[in-house]
C-alpha cells in the first residue's frame, strides 16, 4: 500500500506577524474559514482523481498555517471525517496541528484530542514580551504560560512541541538563556530552534536592511546554536535535524517525510506536494486558488518534474539536514553508479576539511558542517 | 553681415564663483537679448548639471546687439561665458582664440585667486586686451582698494581695473560695456579675402550632424557655398548659417570678425575637429588659423559599463562628448575583473567627475569608474622606456633602472595666516617649495612642485580645510621626475591577484597597503576557510589581514515541504557565487577590485 503524508494549509491568522513570509490572511469572520474548508473538500476530490490517489494510506496529517487552531471544531470534525472516507489512516498515524498562544483554551484542547489530533506544535517564539512585541505576535508572556499549563494539566497531549526564535535585535546571550530555562521548565518532548530569517518582502526585512547592526550577527548565532545544542543534549534531547530536537521517539513523522524525500500531498492555497518524483505547488493567492477549484481545475500551478540528477542532489541535501544522514548503499540502489560516485567525490572533498564524515556507510554532517550547510549544499546542487 | 568697426568679440574669465555668469546675465539684460519673461539666473548655463552645481562647464557664445546712447550707434558683441575651474582652462583657452579681448572678473571680497592668475596668463599669451573688473562691490565685506592693489601687483600698472560693478544689482554694467567699446579692438580681417574661420566648438545634432561653431577671421560665408575643412580637405555644402541669440537663429551670411555656427551635413564626428580651420573649396586660404595646442590629459581613469551591452553606448557617448570637449581622450581598455571599457584622459578630477556624470545622464548608462591615476615612465635595464598606464605593465623591481612620475607646478594663493598649514600639507604630499611671493601683506602666493599622484585624492579638500576655505589653487604639468616607485601586489590566500596590484611611492606603500587590505577584509565575503589578504612588494609581505571563516550559513526547516523554494534560494546563492571571480578556492566579488581601483576613502 502506498503511504503518503498529508499537509493542509490554513491561511488565516488574527494578524500577520512582521517577519512572516507565508501565505496568510487576517481573519475577520468564521464564514471565511468554513468557505475555505468547503473548497478544500473539493480539492481532495479533484486531486484524488488527477493524481491517482485512490488506495492511499496516510501516515501523517499536518495542519499548518497560518493559525489552524482558529478553525472551529465542528468544521475540523467534518473535514477529518471526509478524509476518512477518502483515505485509509495508518494505525500509527500522526495528526499534528500548529497552534498559537491565545487561540487555545483547555476546552479547545479537549475537543482537538477528541477529534484525533495527537500532536500540537506551538508557535511560541519567545517567553519575553519585548521580543513578542517586536515580532508582531498577538499574545503576551502570560498567555504563553497559561497555554503550556493547560496542555500539561489536561494531560491529553503527550506529543507536543514548541518553537523559539534566536537572532532577534538586541537579543543577548542571557536573554536566550532565559528562553532555554523556560524550555527546561516545561520540557516539551519536541522543540524547534529557529533563526530569524527575513525576506525583503516583509516589514521586518525592511527594518533589517536599515538596521542590520542591531541584529546579533552570524558569529553570535553560531555560538548560541552550539551552546543550545549542548544544553539540550544534557537534558535528554537529541538533535535529529538542523533545527529540530526531540526526546527519543518524539521526532515529527510528518517532517521526516520531507527530509527522507518521501511522497506527500499538500492541500490548500500555496501548498506543495511531492508525488511520483514531481514537485508541485498550488496557486498562491486565496482568490486564485478558490477560482481554480470552483472551475473544477487542479489548483497546481507549478510542476517541476525532477531529472534523476536533480532528484539525487535533493535527496542528499535533504538527508544531510538530518543527523541520521544517508546510506551510500541506498543511493546505489536507486541511482546510476557514476552519478552517485560524482557526488561522493564532492563529499569526500568536504570530509578532508571535516565538514562531513562517513561512519559505517552513512554520511553525516559534522557540527562544523551543520552550521555552514548551505555552502556544502551549493556544491552538491547541479 | 556687420561692419568690423562695430563688432567686439570678448569673453568673460574669472576664478570660480567670482560672478561671471551673473555678469553675463546682466549684459544680456542690457542688450534685451532675452525677453523678460524667459530670463532666469545664469541663463547661459543650460546643462542641468551646470545649474545644479552652480558652475559653468561649457563655454557659451552669444551674440548681443548693444545700442550705445552715448555714441548714438549700435554695436554687435560676441560674448563667450567661460568656465572658471582649473580643469576647464582648456575650454577657456579655446574661447580666447575666438576673441580680441577679455573681461577679467575679480570678486571684491576674495581678491585675486589662483584661476584669476591662470586665466589671465592664458589671455595675455593670446595677446588679448584685458579689462579687469571688480565685482560684488555691493557686499559689506567688499574691499575694492585691497583688490586693486593685488591686481596691480599681479598684472602691473597697465592693467588697472576699469570698472567697479555689482552684477547682482546691475550697477556699473552699462559703463562697463562702454569701456568694452573703448578698450577692446574691433576685429581685423577683410571680407574680400578667402574664407578663414576657426572652429572653436561644435555640437552633434541627431538631425543635422556635426554643427561647428566658428569665428571668422577673413572672408565671408554664405548659404549654399562649398567649404573645405583645412586639415583633411573634405568638402561640404553649407546648408544653414546662424548666430547664437542665445538660441540658434538662422541668418544669411557671416563676415569677418563674426561668430556663429554652420550646418553642412558633416556626419562623422572625426571629420571636423575643434581647432580646425574652415575655408572655401575653391580658392582656399593658404594658411590655417593657428589652432590650439593639443590638450594634454593629466589624470587617467577607466570607465566600464555595468553591463556588457553598455559598451557600444559608452563608446558612442565618449565620441559625442569628445566632439563637445576636445580635451577628453579615450582608448579601449580591458580589465580582468570589469571586462571591456575605456581608459580616459582628463584635465583634472572635476573634469573626470563631470564627464562621468554627463555620460550617465545624457546617455542613460551606468558606468563604473576606476580611481584616477597618472602615467609613470620607466627605463628598464634592457634600455627600454615604458609608459606605465596600469600596474599590470609595471616591471618587477629587478628590471627597473629608473622610474619617473609626473610633477605639477602648483600655485596656491592663501591668506598669510594659513601659510603654516598649507606648507605642512604640501610637505606631507612630498612637495618641494619653489618660492613664496606676497601679493599684499595678508595674501601670499606659494609655489610648490608636487607629484601629481599626490594631489589626485584629497589635496583640494585638505587645502580648503587648512585655510578655512580661503586658499585657492591652480596647477599645471611641470615634467617628469625620478621617483622611488614600487609595485604592491595583493595576495589572497597566498595567490597573487593581478587586478588588485597598485603602484605607489615607497614611502606611502605600507600605509596604502594597510588601508587596502583592511578594506578588502571587509569586502571579501566570509568563506568556508579563513582567507588571508596580504600586500607584498616583491617577496616581502608588508601588510596582512584575515577574513574569518564563515561560521553560519544554513536555512531554517522546510516549512510545509516547499523544497523547490529552498532549492531556488540555494540556486540563487550559487549564481551569486559564480559571478564572483574565482581565485584558487576563493571567490572575490567585483567590489573587491573596485576597492583598489576607486578613490581611497579618508
Amino acid at each position: 500500500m502506498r503511504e503518503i503524508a498529508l499537509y493542509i494549509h490554513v491561511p488565516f491568522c488574527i494578524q500577520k506577524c512582521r517577519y512572516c513570509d507565508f501565505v496568510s490572511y487576517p481573519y475577520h469572520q468564521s464564514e471565511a474559514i468554513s468557505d475555505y474548508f468547503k473548497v478544500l473538500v473539493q480539492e481532495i476530490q479533484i486531486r484524488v482523481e488527477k493524481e491517482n490517489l485512490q488506495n492511499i494510506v496516510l501516515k501523517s496529517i499536518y495542519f499548518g498555517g497560518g493559525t489552524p487552531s482558529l478553525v472551529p471544531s465542528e468544521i475540523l470534525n467534518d473535514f477529518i471525517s471526509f478524509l476518512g472516507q477518502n483515505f485509509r489512516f495508518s494505525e500509527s498515524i500522526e495528526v499534528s496541528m500548529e497552534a498559537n498562544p491565545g487561540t487555545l483554551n483547555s476546552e479547545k484542547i479537549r475537543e482537538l484530542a477528541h477529534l484525533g489530533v495527537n500532536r500540537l506544535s506551538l508557535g511560541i517564539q519567545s517567553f519575553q514580551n519585548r521580543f513578542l512585541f517586536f515580532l508582531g505576535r498577538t499574545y503576551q508572556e502570560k498567555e504563553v504560560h497559561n497555554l503550556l499549563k493547560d496542555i500539561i494539566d489536561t494531560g491529553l497531549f503527550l506529543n507536543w512541541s514548541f518553537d523559539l526564535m534566536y537572532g532577534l535585535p538586541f537579543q543577548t546571550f542571557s536573554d536566550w538563556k532565559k528562553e532555554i530555562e523556560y524550555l527546561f521548565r516545561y520540557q516539551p518532548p519536541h522543540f524547534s530552534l529557529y533563526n530569524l530569517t527575513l525576506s525583503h518582502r516583509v516589514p521586518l526585512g525592511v527594518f533589517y536592511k536599515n538596521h542590520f547592526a542591531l541584529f546579533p550577527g552570524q558569529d553570535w548565532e553560531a555560538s548560541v546554536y552550539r551552546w543550545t545544542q549542548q544544553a539540550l543534549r544534557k537534558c535528554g534531547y537529541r538533535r535529529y535535524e538542523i533545527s529540530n530536537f526531540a526526546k527519543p521517539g518524539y521526532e515529527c513523522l510528518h517532517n521526516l517525510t520531507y527530509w527522507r524525500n518521501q511522497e506527500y500531498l499538500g492541500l490548500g492555497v500555496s501548498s506543495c506536494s511531492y508525488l511520483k518524483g514531481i514537485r508541485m505547488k498550488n496557486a498562491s493567492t486565496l482568490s486564485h486558488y478558490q477560482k481554480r477549484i470552483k472551475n473544477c481545475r487542479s489548483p497546481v500551478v507549478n510542476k517541476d518534474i525532477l531529472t534523476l540528477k536533480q532528484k539525487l542532489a535533493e535527496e542528499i541535501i535533504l538527508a544531510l539536514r538530518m543527523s541520521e544522514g544517508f546510506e551510500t548503499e541506498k543511493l546505489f540502489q536507486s541511482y546510476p553508479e557514476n552519478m552517485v560516485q560524482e557526488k561522493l567525490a564532492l563529499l569526500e572533498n568536504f570530509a578532508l576539511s571535516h565538514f562531513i564524515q562517513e561512519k559505517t556507510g552513512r554520511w553525516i554532517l559534522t557540527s562544523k558542517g551543520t552550521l555552514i550547510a548551505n555552502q556544502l549544499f551549493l556544491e552538491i546542487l547541479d | 553681415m556687420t561692419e568690423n568697426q562695430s563688432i567686439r568679440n570678448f569673453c568673460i574669465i574669472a576664478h570660480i564663483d567670482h560672478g561671471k555668469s551673473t555678469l553675463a546675465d546682466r549684459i544680456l539684460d542690457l542688450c534685451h537679448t532675452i525677453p523678460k519673461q524667459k530670463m532666469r539666473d545664469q541663463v547661459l548655463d543650460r546643462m542641468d548639471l551646470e545649474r545644479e552645481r552652480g558652475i559653468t562647464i561649457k563655454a557659451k557664445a552669444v551674440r548681443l546687439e548693444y545700442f550705445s546712447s552715448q555714441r548714438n550707434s549700435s554695436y554687435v558683441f560676441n560674448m563667450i561665458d567661460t568656465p572658471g575651474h582649473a580643469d576647464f582652462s582648456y575650454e577657456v583657452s579655446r574661447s580666447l582664440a575666438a576673441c580680441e579681448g577679455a573681461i577679467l572678473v575679480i570678486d571684491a571680497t576674495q581678491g585675486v585667486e589662483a584661476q584669476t592668475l591662470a586665466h589671465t596668463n592664458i589671455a595675455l599669451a593670446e595677446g588679448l586686451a584685458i579689462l579687469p573688473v571688480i565685482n560684488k562691490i555691493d557686499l559689506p565685506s567688499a574691499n575694492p582698494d585691497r583688490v586693486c592693489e593685488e591686481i596691480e601687483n599681479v598684472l602691473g600698472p597697465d592693467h588697472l581695473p576699469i570698472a567697479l560693478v555689482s552684477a547682482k544689482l546691475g550697477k556699473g554694467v552699462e559703463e562697463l560695456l562702454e569701456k568694452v567699446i573703448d578698450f577692446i579692438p574691433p576685429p581685423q580681417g577683410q571680407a574680400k579675402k578667402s574664407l578663414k574661420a576657426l572652429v572653436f566648438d561644435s555640437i552633434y545634432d541627431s538631425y543635422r550632424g556635426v554643427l561647428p561653431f566658428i569665428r571668422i577671421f577673413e572672408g565671408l560665408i554664405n548659404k549654399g557655398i562649398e567649404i573645405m575643412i583645412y586639415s583633411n580637405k573634405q568638402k561640404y555644402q553649407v546648408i544653414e548659417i546662424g548666430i547664437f541669440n542665445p538660441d540658434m537663429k538662422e541668418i544669411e551670411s557671416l563676415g569677418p570678425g563674426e561668430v556663429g555656427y554652420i550646418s553642412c551635413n558633416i556626419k562623422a564626428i572625426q571629420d571636423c575637429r575643434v581647432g580646425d580651420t574652415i575655408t572655401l573649396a575653391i580658392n582656399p586660404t593658404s594658411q590655417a588659423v593657428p589652432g590650439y595646442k593639443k590638450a594634454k590629459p593629466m589624470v587617467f581613469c577607466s570607465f566600464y559599463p555595468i553591463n556588457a551591452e553598455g559598451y557600444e553606448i559608452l563608446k558612442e557617448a565618449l565620441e559625442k562628448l569628445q566632439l563637445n570637449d576636445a580635451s577628453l581622450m579615450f582608448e579601449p581598455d580591458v580589465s580582468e575583473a570589469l571586462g571591456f571599457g575605456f581608459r580616459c584622459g582628463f584635465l583634472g578630477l572635476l573634469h573626470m567627475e563631470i564627464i562621468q556624470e554627463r555620460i550617465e545622464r545624457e546617455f542613460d548608462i551606468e558606468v563604473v569608474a576606476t580611481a584616477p591615476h597618472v602615467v609613470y615612465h620607466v627605463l628598464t635595464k634592457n634600455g627600454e622606456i615604458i609608459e606605465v598606464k596600469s600596474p599590470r605593465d609595471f616591471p618587477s623591481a629587478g628590471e627597473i633602472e629608473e622610474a619617473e612620475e609626473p610633477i605639477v607646478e602648483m600655485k596656491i594663493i592663501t591668506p598669510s595666516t594659513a601659510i603654516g598649514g598649507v606648507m605642512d600639507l604640501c610637505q606631507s604630499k612630498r612637495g618641494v617649495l619653489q618660492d613664496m611671493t606676497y601679493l599684499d601683506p595678508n595674501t601670499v602666493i606659494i609655489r610648490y612642485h608636487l607629484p601629481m599622484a599626490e594631489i589626485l585624492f584629497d589635496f583640494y579638500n585638505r587645502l580648503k580645510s587648512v585655510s578655512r576655505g580661503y586658499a585657492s589653487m591652480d596647477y599645471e604639468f611641470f615634467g617628469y621626475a625620478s621617483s622611488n616607485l614600487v609595485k604592491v601586489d595583493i595576495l589572497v590566500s597566498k595567490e597573487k591577484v593581478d587586478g588588485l596590484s597598485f603602484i605607489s611611492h615607497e614611502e606611502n606603500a605600507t600605509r596604502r597597503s594597510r588601508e587596502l587590505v583592511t578594506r578588502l577584509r571587509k569586502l571579501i565575503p566570509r568563506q568556508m576557510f579563513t582567507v588571508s589578504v596580504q600586500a607584498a612588494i616583491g617577496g616581502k609581505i608588508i601588510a596582512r589581514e584575515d577574513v574569518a571563516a564563515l561560521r553560519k550559513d544554513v536555512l531554517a526547516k522546510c516549512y510545509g515541504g516547499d523544497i523547490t523554494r529552498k532549492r531556488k534560494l540555494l540556486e540563487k546563492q550559487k549564481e551569486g557565487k559564480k559571478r564572483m571571480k574565482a581565485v584558487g578556492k576563493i571567490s572575490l566579488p567585483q567590489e573587491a577590485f573596485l576597492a583598489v581601483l576607486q578613490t581611497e576613502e579618508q
Side-chain angles (χ1 to χ4, degrees):
Chain A
M1 211 46 133
R2 186 170 163 207
E3 280 203 344
I4 67 168
L6 178 69
Y7 175 80
I8 299 115
H9 190 69
V10 181
F12 302 103
C13 277
I14 295 170
Q15 79 177 33
K16 198 162 173 83
C17 298
R18 294 178 356 118
Y19 62 91
C20 172
D21 194 26
F22 298 106
V23 178
S24 77
Y25 299 87
Y27 152 77
H28 299 298
Q29 52 209 27
S30 55
E31 287 89 70
I33 295 184
S34 62
D35 285 350
Y36 183 73
F37 272 80
K38 280 178 201 149
V39 179
L40 279 179
V41 163
Q42 276 177 279
E43 182 184 357
I44 294 172
Q45 292 165 329
I46 295 170
R47 300 290 294 274
V48 165
E49 164 132 9
K50 297 229 170 183
E51 328 272 0
N52 282 318
L53 296 174
Q54 299 84 5
N55 304 318
I56 285 291
V57 174
L58 296 183
K59 57 180 172 186
S60 65
I61 301 174
Y62 193 102
F63 291 95
T67 311
S69 47
L70 287 174
V71 181
S73 301
E74 314 81 66
I75 294 179
L76 275 177
N77 185 34
D78 293 349
F79 184 75
I80 293 174
S81 316
F82 183 80
L83 286 179
Q85 291 156 28
N86 284 272
F87 304 104
R88 270 210 272 163
F89 291 174
S90 131
E91 269 176 33
S92 55
I93 189 167
E94 175 192 272
V95 183
S96 298
M97 178 174 284
E98 290 180 354
N100 285 335
T103 62
L104 281 188
N105 52 25
S106 48
E107 192 190 332
K108 180 90 185 186
I109 292 169
R110 278 191 201 97
E111 286 169 10
L112 289 177
H114 187 72
L115 288 170
V117 176
N118 55 20
R119 183 175 181 275
L120 286 178
S121 173
L122 310 174
I124 285 174
Q125 317 310 352
S126 172
F127 285 92
Q128 298 170 61
N129 276 344
R130 62 191 172 108
F131 296 123
L132 292 174
F133 181 76
F134 176 80
L135 292 169
R137 305 295 283 178
T138 54
Y139 51 87
Q140 302 206 333
E141 294 167 18
K142 209 173 67 202
E143 288 160 278
V144 175
H145 294 295
N146 288 343
L147 172 63
L148 294 173
K149 212 167 148 281
D150 285 345
I151 288 177
I152 292 166
D153 289 351
T154 52
L156 293 168
F157 284 91
L158 297 177
N159 191 356
W160 58 287
S161 169
F162 64 67
D163 306 345
L164 289 177
M165 210 175 251
Y166 70 110
L168 307 178
F170 300 112
Q171 197 173 32
T172 63
F173 171 63
S174 50
D175 289 333
W176 181 248
K177 218 171 136 220
K178 210 160 154 192
E179 308 277 16
I180 296 301
E181 279 160 11
Y182 280 119
L183 174 102
F184 293 151
R185 184 196 295 179
Y186 289 110
Q187 297 273 343
H190 182 282
F191 166 62
S192 297
L193 169 66
Y194 292 139
N195 186 187
L196 177 66
T197 316
L198 293 169
S199 142
H200 60 275
R201 287 182 298 248
V202 305
L204 277 189
V206 178
F207 178 86
Y208 177 76
K209 214 180 128 193
N210 300 325
H211 305 277
F212 59 88
L214 304 180
F215 290 75
Q218 63 163 301
D219 292 293
W220 185 89
E221 288 172 2
S223 305
V224 157
Y225 180 90
R226 291 204 157 173
W227 175 82
T228 310
Q229 195 188 333
Q230 284 158 22
L232 285 164
R233 193 189 312 137
K234 281 181 205 150
C235 215
Y237 290 90
R238 203 178 69 96
R239 188 177 64 84
Y240 71 102
E241 194 263 355
I242 288 177
S243 12
N244 287 284
F245 298 79
K247 295 199 169 163
Y250 288 95
E251 295 81 10
C252 175
L253 269 183
H254 183 81
N255 283 336
L256 282 172
T257 307
Y258 300 146
W259 302 317
R260 289 180 174 154
N261 212 23
Q262 293 162 344
E263 290 190 298
Y264 52 93
L265 171 67
L267 300 176
V269 57
S270 80
S271 288
C272 295
S273 308
Y274 180 56
L275 296 165
K276 304 253 180 227
I278 303 175
R279 296 215 179 269
M280 288 169 264
K281 180 154 189 174
N282 284 2
S284 58
T285 65
L286 193 50
S287 57
H288 188 202
Y289 166 74
Q290 286 174 328
K291 204 170 130 199
R292 288 189 69 108
I293 301 287
K294 284 189 174 140
N295 294 333
C296 295
R297 294 172 66 195
S298 162
V300 171
V301 290
N302 281 317
K303 260 193 190 184
D304 203 355
I305 304 170
L306 299 180
T307 64
L308 206 55
K309 252 183 136 177
Q310 283 174 318
K311 213 176 145 197
L312 171 65
E314 287 194 358
E315 192 159 325
I316 294 176
I317 289 172
L318 289 167
L320 286 176
R321 292 187 65 93
M322 295 183 290
S323 40
E324 67 183 32
F326 66 87
E327 266 181 284
T328 324
E329 204 43 51
K330 275 230 171 107
L331 289 187
F332 281 120
Q333 285 163 20
S334 328
Y335 299 95
E337 193 182 326
N338 58 345
M339 226 182 248
V340 178
Q341 288 295 5
E342 196 188 309
K343 299 291 176 199
L344 290 182
L346 268 175
L347 298 183
E348 267 150 23
N349 208 8
F350 295 147
L352 293 176
S353 320
H354 309 288
F355 291 121
I356 193 167
Q357 58 190 2
E358 195 200 0
K359 261 191 209 159
T360 61
R362 279 188 172 276
W363 287 91
I364 297 162
L365 288 185
T366 61
S367 60
K368 181 178 163 197
T370 303
L371 279 165
I372 55 137
N374 272 3
Q375 294 290 319
L376 308 177
F377 296 165
L378 291 183
E379 305 297 324
I380 296 168
L381 267 189
D382 282 302
Chain B
M1 205 191 104
T2 315
E3 267 307 306
N4 284 10
Q5 285 313 308
S6 56
I7 300 177
R8 296 293 183 278
N9 294 324
F10 60 91
C11 53
I12 309 184
I13 55 179
H15 189 80
I16 191 163
D17 277 342
H18 280 204
K20 256 177 308 81
S21 297
T22 312
L23 181 61
D25 285 352
R26 289 298 86 75
I27 295 175
L28 291 172
D29 283 347
L30 265 183
C31 300
H32 311 291
T33 317
I34 295 169
K36 274 227 156 50
Q37 62 273 23
K38 283 197 185 162
M39 192 63 197
R40 49 181 190 170
D41 286 347
Q42 308 198 354
V43 68
L44 294 178
D45 287 345
R46 300 222 202 135
M47 267 188 259
D48 289 344
L49 203 55
E50 292 181 311
R51 304 192 65 82
E52 275 167 30
R53 294 189 173 216
I55 57 169
T56 304
I57 296 166
K58 280 297 296 174
K60 277 114 208 159
V62 56
R63 175 172 162 137
L64 310 164
E65 311 264 345
Y66 175 69
F67 180 77
S68 164
S69 41
Q70 281 178 24
R71 295 163 221 251
N72 196 23
S73 61
S74 290
Y75 289 84
V76 167
F77 292 160
N78 287 301
M79 175 175 85
I80 304 178
D81 186 15
T82 63
H85 196 279
D87 283 7
F88 304 107
S89 54
Y90 184 69
E91 190 80 20
V92 176
S93 72
R94 279 164 37 205
S95 311
L96 294 178
C99 298
E100 278 81 32
I103 296 178
L104 172 65
V105 182
I106 301 152
D107 189 314
T109 65
Q110 303 290 322
V112 171
E113 294 199 68
Q115 259 86 66
T116 315
L117 284 185
H119 294 330
T120 306
N121 288 336
I122 302 170
L124 284 173
E126 286 281 340
L128 301 196
I130 295 177
L131 274 64
V133 170
I134 299 183
N135 189 21
K136 305 195 191 177
I137 53 159
D138 56 302
L139 293 182
S141 55
N143 190 349
D145 293 340
R146 179 181 73 94
V147 176
C148 273
E149 195 186 321
E150 284 183 7
I151 294 172
E152 192 179 347
N153 281 337
V154 176
L155 296 179
D158 300 344
H159 292 95
L160 289 182
I162 48 107
L164 298 178
V165 304
S166 161
K168 200 168 121 205
L169 306 178
K171 246 170 86 181
V173 179
E174 191 165 355
E175 292 80 348
L176 169 63
L177 292 185
E178 292 298 329
K179 298 261 167 78
V180 163
I181 298 169
D182 288 338
F183 289 106
I184 294 180
Q188 307 292 311
Q190 292 165 23
K192 56 181 190 284
K193 282 200 176 168
S194 178
L195 177 68
K196 190 158 140 187
L198 171 73
V199 179
F200 68 90
D201 204 348
S202 64
I203 57 162
Y204 187 87
D205 179 294
S206 18
Y207 300 107
R208 294 179 289 183
V210 179
L211 302 182
F213 295 180
I214 56 170
R215 148 78 204 256
I216 298 187
F217 284 91
E218 306 272 6
L220 288 173
I221 191 162
N222 294 308
K223 220 195 248 183
I225 207 168
E226 199 181 18
I227 53 134
M228 185 178 83
I229 310 286
Y230 195 85
S231 65
N232 57 18
K233 310 291 178 230
Q234 298 264 19
K235 292 175 180 137
Y236 301 93
Q237 184 116 32
V238 177
I239 298 165
E240 187 185 323
I241 298 177
I243 54 169
F244 305 102
N245 194 27
D247 296 319
M248 287 185 174
K249 182 181 163 198
E250 198 172 341
I251 59 164
E252 284 306 305
S253 66
L254 287 172
E258 290 192 288
V259 173
Y261 69 93
I262 56 170
S263 161
C264 47
N265 231 336
I266 303 173
K267 286 275 162 34
I269 288 163
Q270 307 75 274
D271 288 343
C272 182
R273 294 283 187 194
V274 168
D276 216 325
T277 298
I278 286 179
T279 184
L280 294 180
I282 301 161
N283 184 24
T285 184
S286 54
Q287 205 184 358
V289 188
Y292 312 112
K293 63 174 183 197
K294 217 172 161 194
K296 206 167 180 168
M298 289 292 148
V299 175
F300 292 81
C301 92
S302 294
F303 287 151
Y304 299 92
I306 295 265
N307 306 311
E309 308 87 71
Y311 181 79
E312 284 301 319
I313 308 173
L314 178 58
K315 185 174 169 197
E316 195 192 318
L318 287 166
E319 279 172 354
K320 287 189 175 156
L321 288 175
Q322 190 180 48
L323 180 74
N324 204 243
D325 177 352
S327 54
L328 171 67
M329 313 266 162
F330 64 93
E331 63 189 27
D333 189 22
V334 58
S335 142
E336 58 182 313
L338 303 167
F340 288 95
F342 294 92
R343 175 197 308 283
C344 306
F346 306 94
L347 299 177
L349 288 176
L350 181 67
H351 186 211
M352 170 179 129
E353 203 181 305
I354 295 289
I355 292 289
Q356 183 182 358
E357 214 164 321
R358 288 186 69 187
I359 289 171
E360 296 190 335
R361 279 185 191 217
E362 295 169 30
F363 300 89
D364 200 26
I365 44 165
E366 267 189 89
V367 298
V368 172
T370 64
H373 60 89
V374 298
V375 175
Y376 298 100
H377 290 173
V378 174
L379 172 68
T380 67
K381 292 200 165 142
N382 290 336
E384 262 182 294
I385 291 181
I386 308 174
E387 277 196 15
V388 179
K389 291 181 182 164
S390 153
R392 249 196 322 256
D393 309 330
F394 201 79
S396 67
E399 294 168 45
I400 299 174
E401 186 58 50
E402 191 184 352
E404 292 184 340
E405 66 177 332
I407 303 291
V408 295
E409 179 168 296
M410 173 73 72
K411 276 199 195 101
I412 296 168
I413 300 188
T414 175
S416 41
T417 49
I419 292 176
V422 170
M423 289 180 66
D424 283 347
L425 170 65
C426 291
Q427 296 306 132
S428 76
K429 297 287 189 181
R430 299 191 279 128
V432 179
L433 179 67
Q434 302 300 306
D435 57 36
M436 215 189 306
T437 327
Y438 277 84
L439 272 182
D440 62 48
N442 304 315
T443 317
V444 66
I445 306 181
I446 307 176
R447 221 156 47 83
Y448 257 95
H449 281 178
L450 281 158
M452 182 171 258
E454 294 285 349
I455 62 169
L456 288 184
F457 293 114
D458 61 343
F459 189 82
Y460 183 69
N461 291 339
R462 288 185 53 192
L463 178 68
K464 284 289 174 192
S465 104
V466 298
S467 65
R468 293 212 243 125
Y470 285 111
S472 62
M473 60 177 253
D474 186 68
Y475 61 85
E476 55 187 353
F477 175 66
F478 177 74
Y480 273 82
S482 178
S483 176
N484 200 354
L485 298 169
V486 291
K487 177 177 166 184
V488 179
D489 290 317
I490 299 294
L491 294 86
V492 173
S493 274
K494 310 255 154 84
E495 286 193 52
K496 191 167 111 185
V497 184
D498 272 347
L500 295 178
S501 306
F502 64 93
I503 299 167
S504 166
H505 188 267
E506 199 185 16
E507 253 173 50
N508 299 335
T510 310
R511 178 183 54 81
R512 285 188 61 193
S513 299
R514 283 209 190 109
E515 281 169 10
L516 180 62
V517 295
T518 307
R519 249 182 313 147
L520 287 173
R521 170 174 58 76
K522 292 179 190 155
L523 285 168
I524 296 173
R526 294 167 66 169
Q527 328 226 344
M528 283 157 62
F529 313 88
T530 301
V531 176
S532 65
V533 184
Q534 296 168 304
I537 299 174
K540 191 180 149 216
I541 305 293
I542 56 171
R544 171 179 177 140
E545 289 273 344
D546 286 344
V547 181
L550 184 74
R551 285 207 52 206
K552 186 163 177 299
D553 179 17
V554 55
L555 290 169
K557 79 159 180 185
C558 314
Y559 249 112
D562 196 347
I563 311 295
T564 306
R565 181 164 158 197
K566 299 282 176 221
R567 194 183 68 217
K568 286 196 172 138
L569 285 172
L570 285 172
E571 275 166 0
K572 209 171 140 195
Q573 197 178 350
K574 188 166 184 163
E575 214 27 61
K577 216 170 158 181
K578 263 191 207 153
R579 271 200 303 275
M580 291 197 256
K581 195 174 158 47
V583 177
K585 276 189 194 167
I586 310 302
S587 310
L588 293 180
Q590 200 186 55
E591 294 83 57
F593 292 91
L594 286 175
V596 60
L597 297 174
Q598 279 182 333
T599 308
E600 289 173 62
E601 288 160 45
Q602 288 300 318

